[in-house]
Amino acid sequence: ILTILGNSAVLATAVKRSSLLKSPELLTVNLAVADIGMAISMYPLAIASAWNHAWLGGDASCIYYALMGFLFGVCSMMTLCAMAVVRFLVTKSSKSNSKKVTKTTVRILITFIWLYSLLWAILPLVGWGYYGPEPFGISCTIAWSKFHNSSNGFSFILSMFLLCTVLPALTIVACYLGIAWKVHKAYQEIQNINRIPNAAKLEKKLTLMAVLISVGFLSSWTPYAAASFWSIFNSSDSLQPVVTLLPCLFAKSSTAYNPFIYYIFSKTFRREIKQLQCCCGWRVRFFSADNSAENPVSMMWSG
């Protein structure tokens, strides 16, 4: 519920101000699409299976569920990687680099992300890798436990681990460390904090927001990755069902909290949410009478 409502609000505000969206914000929209896609295509089946105490639908639904999870998971990871690279290019960079990151460039990048994710999701269907049930029996994913006795499966998981997890994660870390160094050097040159321009403060806030989103995603998926890799080299019976279940639930919760980060860090997103609440018939007080009388332009998106 939180995933669908929160990310629907993100998409609704993006549609409302589509003409004002900047290039990097298109990646935020893509991340919301991936999150809500995972929630709609996967979570109802998992919830029904949990109530049933066993997986519903047989092998076909298991393959479908695992494919959707892999598709949207890789898409989210690669989108976060692209966000880090784009933010590195536009933060304290030359004007020539900033102009290269146009909306057309980002749309092409988003298309590549989806095609790349789809390719990896389809590979187990054509014989490289496997899909199968989780050890706790009410969810499906890549069949990690089959890989320690299969060269085919092991080569797939190793390639997937390097190209879909390690390299994107290292890129994210490197980009944000580079941004932190640039911001640190820039702030050293400005001795008086009051002289820091508003644009620089905004860039710092946007970068912090992107860092929190990336850290949240990586943190939520790390326990699941650890449990999965344990099952590659050891029998799945060596872990209690709850030990494999909790990391899975924690990982899938990553789709829910991004809108809360946007709400905390973005004044414009908060205003749009309040306007959406009014459109739905909810009574919300936006500003005090003085603010609404003296500053009606504050209701507008600044872009």
Side-chain angles (χ1 to χ4, degrees), residues 58-94:
D59 292 340
S61 64
C62 185
I63 292 174
Y64 158 80
Y65 184 93
L67 186 146
M68 291 294 105
F70 198 20
L71 171 66
F72 291 119
V74 174
C75 181
S76 297
M77 185 65 174
M78 300 310 296
T79 300
L80 291 172
C81 181
M83 287 173 62
V85 173
V86 170
R87 184 127 302 278
F88 177 77
L89 292 176
V90 302
T91 301
K92 294 294 181 180
S93 63
S94 64

Side-chain angles (χ1 to χ4, degrees), residues 35-300:
D35 287 344
I36 201 171
M38 181 177 288
I40 293 175
S41 64
M42 298 173 59
Y43 295 174
L45 186 56
I47 293 170
S49 297
W51 283 105
N52 188 54
H53 297 274
W55 182 253
L56 295 175
D59 292 340
S61 64
C62 185
I63 292 174
Y64 158 80
Y65 184 93
L67 186 146
M68 291 294 105
F70 198 20
L71 171 66
F72 291 119
V74 174
C75 181
S76 297
M77 185 65 174
M78 300 310 296
T79 300
L80 291 172
C81 181
M83 287 173 62
V85 173
V86 170
R87 184 127 302 278
F88 177 77
L89 292 176
V90 302
T91 301
K92 294 294 181 180
S93 63
S94 64
K95 293 183 179 180
S96 60
N97 285 338
S98 299
K99 290 180 179 179
K100 290 179 182 179
V101 188
T102 63
K103 284 188 177 181
T104 301
T105 303
V106 174
R107 289 190 183 103
I108 294 173
L109 181 59
I110 290 173
T111 302
F112 171 79
I113 288 172
W114 280 103
L115 292 176
Y116 184 82
S117 305
L118 183 62
L119 172 64
W120 280 101
I122 290 176
L123 286 175
L125 301 181
V126 297
W128 195 29
Y130 311 95
Y131 287 135
E134 298 267 21
F136 50 86
I138 56 172
S139 178
C140 293
T141 184
I142 298 171
W144 306 95
S145 60
K146 293 184 179 180
F147 293 157
H148 61 281
N149 291 326
S150 169
S151 58
N152 175 29
F154 186 79
S155 63
F156 172 78
I157 194 62
L158 183 61
S159 301
M160 184 273 293
F161 179 66
L162 291 175
L163 298 177
C164 299
T165 305
V166 175
L167 288 180
L170 290 177
T171 302
I172 290 171
V173 172
C175 286
Y176 287 130
L177 286 177
I179 292 172
W181 177 251
K182 287 183 179 182
V183 172
H184 173 71
K185 296 297 290 184
Y187 275 51
Q188 276 188 332
E189 296 174 359
I190 305 175
Q191 300 298 327
N192 187 355
I193 191 67
N194 294 323
R195 294 176 56 193
I196 297 176
N198 290 332
K201 294 178 181 178
L202 178 60
E203 284 293 337
K204 183 179 179 180
K205 181 179 291 187
L206 292 175
T207 300
L208 179 60
M209 182 176 69
V211 168
L212 288 177
I213 293 170
S214 299
V215 169
F217 182 87
L218 294 175
S219 300
S220 62
W221 280 93
T222 297
Y224 179 75
S228 299
F229 269 82
W230 174 271
S231 64
I232 293 176
F233 303 102
N234 301 274
S235 171
S236 58
D237 297 333
S238 61
L239 293 177
Q240 294 294 325
V242 68
V243 177
T244 56
L245 172 63
L246 292 180
C248 182
L249 295 177
F250 186 52
K252 291 172 182 175
S253 70
S254 64
T255 60
Y257 53 70
N258 286 344
F260 293 97
I261 297 176
Y262 304 147
Y263 191 86
I264 293 172
F265 282 89
S266 175
K267 293 181 179 179
T268 49
F269 183 64
R270 290 198 296 270
R271 291 170 188 165
E272 286 293 337
I273 290 298
K274 292 174 182 178
Q275 290 181 0
L276 286 175
Q277 290 173 338
C278 285
C279 291
C280 293
W282 299 340
R283 298 182 62 186
V284 180
R285 183 174 180 178
F286 286 85
F287 306 97
S288 65
D290 293 338
N291 283 345
S292 59
E294 296 177 4
N295 197 14
V297 183
S298 63
M299 293 292 293
M300 301 294 291

